[in-house]
């Protein structure tokens, strides 16, 4: 009887299809798979947490190290020497005072840009102030000054200028300026003459002409032999060369060629002649010399 029942069950299955799994087996297999997934997720969370802790630890150590370094530098890297190089017009002590840098300051806290501005604001003859830090405790201030080579009168005051017409200093006495060996320049229609700024005139051409003349006088090594320059008539510019010659340049056109020609004339005349050299005829290769 039992054999017949078994055969019935077998005959009742469809060929080529799986025999249905018993419910108990299904339950066991599902439980195992679920446990594996949970274990895998737990391991992943553990790895992520470990990486996160490692990163936090590394960042904390770096931040702490940086904080310690900064603290050490602030406490121990203090200014104990300030060297001033270059410049002759102002004393080193005055330069340091103007900079605002003090002995005992943290070298890290020294604001170089602000100190440079302070120096230039206080001393108009300073063209450039360059400040650098030399660790652990030294500050070096390098000063470049405008070259005061010209002076002009505006009202009752006298002002020194460089060859680019930067106004350097104001003087009350012409004697002081003359002792400094500056060359006097007569400039018409001055509208603005403030220390630390460019000189301005009613005629915008005048400053450009002066700069061009100075550049060419430098070019031919004549500038430092000049005693005065007169631009009161821009079409009849004149200057005195040493004590020997008064030079009539005429206008500024062909300035370089005229001065090259002038230098050749002076070399031929030598030191025995005193008089006027006139280059204003319009012919740049022609000059008239008259004694006295």
């Amino acid at each position: 009887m039992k054999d017949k029942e078994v055969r019935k069950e077998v005959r009742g299955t469809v060929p080529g299809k799986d025999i249905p799994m018993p419910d108990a087996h299904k339950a066991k297999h599902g439980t195992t798979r679920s446990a594996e997934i949970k274990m895998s997720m737990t391991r992943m969370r553990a790895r992520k947490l470990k990486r996160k802790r490692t990163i936090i630890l590394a960042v904390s150590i770096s931040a702490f190290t940086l904080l310690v370094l900064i603290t050490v530098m602030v406490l121990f890297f203090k200014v104990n020497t300030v060297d001033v190089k270059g410049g002759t017009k102002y004393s080193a002590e005055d330069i340091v005072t103007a900079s605002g840098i003090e002995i005992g300051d943290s070298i890290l806290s020294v604001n170089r840009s602000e100190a440079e501005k302070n120096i230039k604001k206080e001393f108009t003859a300073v063209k450039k102030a360059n400040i650098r830090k030399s660790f652990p405790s030294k500050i070096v201030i390098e000063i470049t000054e405008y070259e005061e080579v010209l002076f002009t009168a505006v009202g009752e005051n006298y002002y020194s200028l460089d060859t680019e017409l930067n106004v350097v200093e104001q003087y009350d006495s012409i004697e002081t300026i003359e002792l400094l060996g500056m060359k006097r320049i007569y400039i018409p229609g001055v509208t603005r003459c403030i220390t630390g700024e460019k000189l301005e005139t009613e005629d915008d051409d005048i400053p450009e002409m002066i700069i061009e003349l100075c550049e060419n006088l430098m070019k031919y090594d004549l500038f430092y032999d000049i005693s005065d320059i007169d631009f009161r008539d821009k079409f009849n510019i004149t200057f005195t060369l040493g004590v020997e010659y008064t030079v009539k340049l005429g206008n500024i056109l062909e300035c370089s060629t005229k001065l090259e020609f002038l230098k050749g004339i002076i070399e031929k005349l030598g030191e025995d002649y005193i008089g006027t050299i006139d280059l204003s005829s319009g012919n740049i290769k022609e000059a008239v010399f008259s004694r006295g």
Side-chain angles (χ1 to χ4, degrees):
M1 185 72 178
K2 288 181 181 178
D3 292 339
K4 288 182 180 179
E5 288 176 358
V6 170
R7 284 198 295 272
K8 245 182 216 180
E9 283 183 21
V10 172
R11 282 198 299 269
T13 60
V14 179
K17 289 194 175 182
D18 294 336
I19 298 173
M21 186 179 291
D23 291 340
H25 183 74
K26 284 183 181 179
K28 183 179 179 180
H29 181 77
T31 302
T32 303
R33 180 63 179 165
S34 175
E36 288 176 352
I37 291 172
K38 287 181 179 180
M39 287 178 66
S40 177
M41 292 180 67
T42 301
R43 285 195 293 269
M44 287 177 64
R45 283 196 294 268
R47 283 196 295 269
K48 287 181 178 179
L49 183 60
K50 185 178 180 180
R51 282 199 298 270
K52 186 175 180 181
R53 286 175 177 171
T54 301
I55 292 171
I56 292 172
L57 180 62
V59 171
S60 298
I61 291 172
S62 298
F64 178 74
T65 303
L66 182 61
L67 181 62
V68 169
L69 286 173
I70 292 173
T71 302
V72 169
M73 293 179 77
V74 169
L75 291 176
F76 297 101
F77 286 15
K78 292 184 179 295
V79 177
N80 62 28
T81 305
V82 182
D83 283 349
V84 178
K85 298 181 178 181
T88 58
K89 193 172 180 65
Y90 309 109
S91 70
E93 184 180 353
D94 288 342
I95 292 290
V96 173
T97 300
S99 73
I101 300 170
E102 296 183 356
I103 300 298
D105 287 348
S106 167
I107 197 168
L108 294 177
S109 68
V110 172
N111 187 323
R112 292 181 296 177
S113 178
E114 183 178 347
E116 289 166 0
K117 288 178 182 177
N118 290 341
I119 293 170
K120 291 184 69 176
K121 182 179 179 181
E122 182 70 20
F123 303 118
T124 55
V126 174
K127 183 177 185 179
K128 185 178 180 182
N130 182 47
I131 296 176
R132 56 186 175 85
K133 300 175 181 179
S134 180
F135 288 94
S137 58
K138 185 177 180 180
I139 297 290
V140 179
I141 304 175
E142 296 178 349
I143 298 296
T144 303
E145 295 174 345
Y146 289 107
E147 188 179 7
E148 296 175 278
V149 290
L150 302 170
F151 77 93
T152 193
V154 180
E156 297 181 357
N157 295 315
Y158 299 93
Y159 296 87
S160 61
L161 312 163
D162 72 354
T163 55
E164 294 183 346
L165 296 189
N166 291 295
V167 183
V168 183
E169 292 280 9
Q170 177 183 329
Y171 295 87
D172 298 326
S173 168
I174 191 172
E175 287 79 12
T176 303
I177 291 180
E178 289 175 340
L179 286 172
L180 295 173
M182 298 182 211
K183 294 97 175 47
R184 182 161 192 168
I185 182 166
Y186 297 90
I187 305 174
V190 175
T191 57
R192 189 174 181 83
C193 190
I194 299 174
T195 53
E197 299 183 11
K198 290 272 191 181
L199 181 139
E200 297 178 7
T201 62
E202 293 174 355
D203 186 339
D204 293 337
D205 293 336
I206 296 292
E208 294 178 7
M209 290 178 175
I210 294 172
I211 292 170
E212 183 178 352
L213 176 60
C214 289
E215 286 177 352
N216 282 289
L217 286 168
M218 290 283 192
K219 178 181 177 181
Y220 294 106
D221 297 321
L222 296 170
F223 184 85
Y224 291 100
D225 294 325
I226 298 291
S227 56
D228 64 71
I229 306 171
D230 193 344
F231 265 87
R232 284 175 288 192
D233 182 349
K234 69 178 184 179
F235 299 108
N236 291 289
I237 303 164
T238 64
F239 57 87
T240 303
L241 195 58
V243 295
E244 294 91 3
Y245 306 109
T246 297
V247 179
K248 294 182 178 181
L249 190 68
N251 58 40
I252 201 69
L253 297 176
E254 301 291 346
C255 179
S256 179
T257 305
K258 289 177 182 178
L259 294 183
E260 183 180 15
F261 188 40
L262 172 65
K263 187 167 183 179
I265 293 170
I266 293 170
E267 289 174 354
K268 288 180 180 179
L269 290 173
E271 298 179 356
D272 297 330
Y273 289 86
I274 297 176
T276 300
I277 301 173
D278 191 345
L279 300 168
S280 63
S281 66
N283 184 346
I284 59 174
K285 289 298 183 180
E286 179 179 291
V288 177
F289 174 73
S290 56
R291 287 179 178 272

